[in-house]
Amino acid sequence: MPRAMIAVALLLSLPMAGGCEMTRDSDYRCAVAGPMDKVPREGPYSGQQGTTMRIEMARGEYEGAQIVVEAADRELRGLRAEVSDLRAPEGTIPASCVTVRQVGYVRTVECRHYPQGRIGWWPDPLLELPEVDVPKGKVQPLWVTVYAPRDASPGEYRGAITLHAQGAAPMMIE
């Protein structure tokens, strides 16, 4: 069976926040990073400020990307993500095929037996995300994994991920 390409596009839109740049009335900002990017926890985030999460895959594949959330002037409490179905003219990929996880960090230390690439906090484990607090001035990547079911129709699917935090305006990636 030929493996038809599926493209999933999640476009970043921040209502009244002027793109993904931090504004005076926003409590946090976010950007999109690729699956190979290692995002340090210390802010500010200096990576590319992408505005589109575009994931391409074939049927039966899992692919990922990251949403990088940076707390601005205060701690973000209870950050969580809500996912919609992904829709295309020829079909739907249900929200249950999209997972959002918190990127965890491990502390690396100097070792005399072999060289290290980085000493300090290093992004590594993917943790469940019921919700997470993001300290003021820190960065928290969220790992998005999309599964394209084997019976999905080829095409470009669009959906939304809405970020919620206590006392902060929701931010939508759609």
Side-chain angles (χ1 to χ4, degrees):
M1 174 193 265
R3 294 174 57 117
M5 288 301 292
I6 306 287
V8 176
L10 299 170
L11 305 177
L12 183 65
S13 71
L14 308 179
M16 308 198 20
C20 64
E21 297 301 317
M22 182 68 74
T23 64
R24 287 178 187 247
D25 58 348
S26 64
D27 295 305
Y28 58 101
R29 69 178 179 154
C30 69
V32 175
M36 300 303 288
D37 295 330
K38 293 290 190 181
V39 179
R41 184 146 175 88
E42 299 78 26
Y45 176 63
S46 61
Q48 186 171 353
Q49 300 294 311
T51 58
T52 301
M53 179 182 290
R54 186 170 179 84
I55 300 172
E56 294 184 13
M57 66 194 80
R59 294 176 181 152
E61 288 185 341
Y62 292 85
E63 291 292 339
Q66 298 178 77
I67 300 170
V68 181
V69 178
E70 182 179 346
D73 297 324
R74 67 176 182 91
E75 176 183 35
L76 280 178
R77 303 213 21 97
L79 178 68
R80 61 187 173 83
E82 179 183 339
V83 179
S84 75
D85 290 342
L86 305 177
R87 299 189 185 282
E90 301 297 322
T92 299
I93 296 175
S96 60
C97 290
V98 181
T99 59
V100 181
R101 292 187 173 89
Q102 168 190 350
V103 175
Y105 289 82
V106 294
R107 186 157 186 82
T108 58
V109 296
E110 191 171 337
C111 178
R112 62 186 176 102
H113 299 293
Y114 56 88
Q116 300 81 40
R118 177 174 162 84
I119 304 297
W121 292 104
W122 188 249
D124 187 53
L126 297 179
L127 308 170
E128 294 302 316
L129 178 72
E131 59 182 48
V132 62
D133 295 337
V134 184
K136 175 183 171 183
K138 300 290 183 183
V139 172
Q140 178 60 62
L142 303 177
W143 189 274
V144 178
T145 304
V146 179
Y147 170 68
R150 293 194 179 278
D151 62 350
S153 298
E156 185 166 318
Y157 291 76
R158 293 184 180 268
I161 298 174
T162 305
L163 302 178
H164 301 274
Q166 295 172 11
M171 191 174 295
M172 183 180 288
I173 299 154
E174 65 180 353

